């Protein structure tokens, strides 16, 4: 079935391009988000330590804020999980368009 | 005849693949959910600012805001495949943890809170709300599906 061979070949090529684009976009965005969050943790801890040393924060305040940052890290991890799901949906939508487009070309 | 069979095979194969791929793993964008996150962020930060005053003078406002926050949480819980955002709301609102719920709980226990602490806690809560609304805004809008 030469028609089906062409169809599969087109799907393979187009899907490979789709995967490459999606993976690299996602990896870049996730790495950047992670770096930003780590920078914010460092900056906050430094500032809170200084405020504690100056008695502008009590030990209880400091402890609350540090634990709050930990909670925020958990929210960030959930956000990244959610973003991965969204990207999967977008990738699936792209894959559907690719497959339908390849089928259309092969049949016509 | 062979060409017709090949075309029919293409169609069946494509249809099967499309069905398999079309199951979404995350809910689409919801304007109500987004609006909840944005407006409750503003209201929460405004009320946190008052925590240098005695809690008793603001108890009714805290209770009213908590009611609105619970509505947002229940709305999130009611959406299909929305476990991630629902878990984010749980962490934010938990009085035993250290974001908004924990802040109000501490204010109630200690009656007044230190203004420097309030400013720092507001930043954390603001970020927390941004993570919820930010995730919602990234979701696929119905018009984006082709």
């Amino acid at each position: 079935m030469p028609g089906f061979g062409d169809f599969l070949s087109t799907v393979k090529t187009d899907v490979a391009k789709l995967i490459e684009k999606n993976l690299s976009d996602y990896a870049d965005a996730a790495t950047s988000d992670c770096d930003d969050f780590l920078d914010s943790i460092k900056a906050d801890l430094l500032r809170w330590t200084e405020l504690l040393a100056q008695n502008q924060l009590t030990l209880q305040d400091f402890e609350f804020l540090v634990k709050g940052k930990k909670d925020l890290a958990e929210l960030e991890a959930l956000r990244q999980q959610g973003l991965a799901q969204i990207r999967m949906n977008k990738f699936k939508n792209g894959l559907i368009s690719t497959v339908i487009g390849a089928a259309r070309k092969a049949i016509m | 005849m062979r060409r017709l069979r090949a075309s029919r095979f293409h169609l069946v194969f494509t249809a099967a693949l499309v069905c398999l791929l079309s199951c979404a793993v995350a809910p689409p964008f919801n304007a109500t959910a987004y609006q909840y996150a944005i407006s409750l962020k503003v209201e929460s930060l405004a009320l946190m600012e008052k925590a240098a005053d005695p809690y008793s003078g603001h108890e009714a406002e805290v209770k009213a805001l908590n009611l609105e926050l619970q509505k947002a949480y229940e709305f999130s819980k009611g959406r299909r495949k929305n476990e991630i955002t629902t878990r984010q709301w749980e962490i934010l609102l938990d009085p035993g943890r250290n974001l908004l719920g924990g802040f109000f709980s501490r204010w109630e226990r200690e009656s007044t809170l230190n203004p420097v602490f309030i400013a720092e806690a507001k930043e954390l809560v603001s970020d927390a709300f941004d993570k919820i609304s930010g995730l919602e805004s990234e979701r696929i809008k119905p018009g984006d599906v082709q």
Side-chain angles (χ1 to χ4, degrees), chain A residues 3-4 7 47-48 56 60-61 64 67-68 71-72 74-76 78 82-83 85-86 89 92 99 103, chain B residues 9-10 13-14 21 23-26 84 88 91 97-98 103 106 114 117 120 124 128 131 138-140:
Chain A
F4 189 66
F7 167 64
R47 188 173 66 258
W48 296 337
Q56 292 194 64
Q60 290 82 2
D61 293 338
F64 184 100
K67 287 179 176 175
D71 289 341
L72 210 53
E74 205 171 325
L75 257 70
E76 175 60 17
L78 288 165
L83 288 176
Q85 282 187 344
I86 291 164
N89 273 359
K92 279 184 170 183
V99 169
Chain B
F9 184 83
H10 286 145
F13 178 80
T14 306
L21 292 172
C23 305
V25 294
I84 287 174
Q88 287 183 313
I91 293 168
R97 295 187 74 145
N98 299 79
F103 181 92
R106 199 176 172 213
N114 157 16
F117 167 75
E120 295 296 329
L124 291 180
K131 288 185 194 308
E138 288 287 334
R139 286 185 165 144
I140 298 172

Side-chain angles (χ1 to χ4, degrees), chain B residues 6 8 26 56 63 69 73 84 91 93 102 106 123 128 141:
Chain B
R8 211 176 295 153
S56 54
K63 285 193 155 87
L69 290 163
Y73 169 66
I84 287 174
I91 293 168
L93 302 182
R106 199 176 172 213
E123 287 297 319
K141 293 154 186 76

Side-chain angles (χ1 to χ4, degrees), chain A:
Chain A
M1 272 187 278
F4 189 66
D6 291 340
F7 167 64
L8 274 186
S9 173
T10 308
V11 167
K12 259 170 55 173
T13 310
D14 291 352
V15 165
K17 286 182 199 160
L18 191 67
I19 289 172
E20 199 188 318
K21 183 179 186 312
N22 271 264
L23 276 179
S24 85
D25 285 354
Y26 174 56
D28 288 345
T31 305
S32 171
D33 286 348
C34 188
D35 287 344
D36 288 347
F37 193 72
L38 287 173
D39 287 343
S40 87
I41 290 175
K42 277 190 280 197
D44 285 346
L45 286 177
L46 188 61
R47 188 173 66 258
W48 296 337
T49 308
E50 283 172 3
L51 290 171
L52 180 65
Q54 292 161 9
N55 293 319
Q56 292 194 64
L57 288 177
T58 65
L59 199 54
Q60 290 82 2
D61 293 338
F62 181 82
E63 194 181 327
F64 184 100
L65 293 170
V66 170
K67 287 179 176 175
K69 198 70 184 180
K70 181 173 156 283
D71 289 341
L72 210 53
E74 205 171 325
L75 257 70
E76 175 60 17
L78 288 165
R79 189 180 80 95
Q80 289 298 331
Q81 221 180 306
L83 288 176
Q85 282 187 344
I86 291 164
R87 286 183 176 111
M88 176 57 74
N89 273 359
K90 288 181 177 172
F91 172 71
K92 279 184 170 183
N93 288 345
L95 199 53
I96 289 169
S97 302
T98 300
V99 169
I100 291 172
R104 201 176 285 137
K105 275 185 227 167
I107 290 170
M108 299 303 177

Side-chain angles (χ1 to χ4, degrees), chain B residues 18-117:
Chain B
V18 166
C19 284
L20 197 64
L21 292 172
S22 59
C23 305
V25 294
F29 172 79
N30 184 290
T32 303
Y34 183 74
Q35 190 54 38
Y36 266 132
I38 297 298
S39 61
L40 288 171
K41 172 186 169 180
V42 172
E43 291 172 44
S44 298
L45 296 180
L47 188 51
M48 286 175 78
E49 190 60 41
K50 300 177 185 179
D53 300 338
Y55 178 82
S56 54
H58 297 283
E59 187 172 2
E61 288 164 80
V62 174
K63 285 193 155 87
L65 180 61
N66 273 335
L67 193 58
E68 294 305 308
L69 290 163
Q70 281 305 308
K71 285 181 193 172
Y73 169 66
E74 290 296 331
F75 183 82
S76 178
K77 229 168 73 161
R79 290 170 69 194
R80 282 183 67 232
K81 300 184 183 180
N82 200 39
E83 294 81 10
I84 287 174
T85 299
T86 301
R87 184 65 193 131
Q88 287 183 313
W89 278 109
E90 283 172 358
I91 293 168
L92 175 65
L93 302 182
D94 188 345
R97 295 187 74 145
N98 299 79
L99 291 171
L100 186 61
F103 181 92
F104 285 146
S105 177
R106 199 176 172 213
W107 186 12
E108 185 178 7
R109 268 195 325 272
E110 300 185 19
S111 183
T112 60
L113 296 175
N114 157 16
V116 173
F117 167 75

Side-chain angles (χ1 to χ4, degrees), chain B residues 121-140:
Chain B
K122 277 178 66 180
E123 287 297 319
L124 291 180
V125 168
S126 175
D127 277 352
F129 272 107
D130 287 348
K131 288 185 194 308
I132 294 175
S133 62
L135 181 56
E136 192 63 43
S137 72
E138 288 287 334
R139 286 185 165 144
I140 298 172

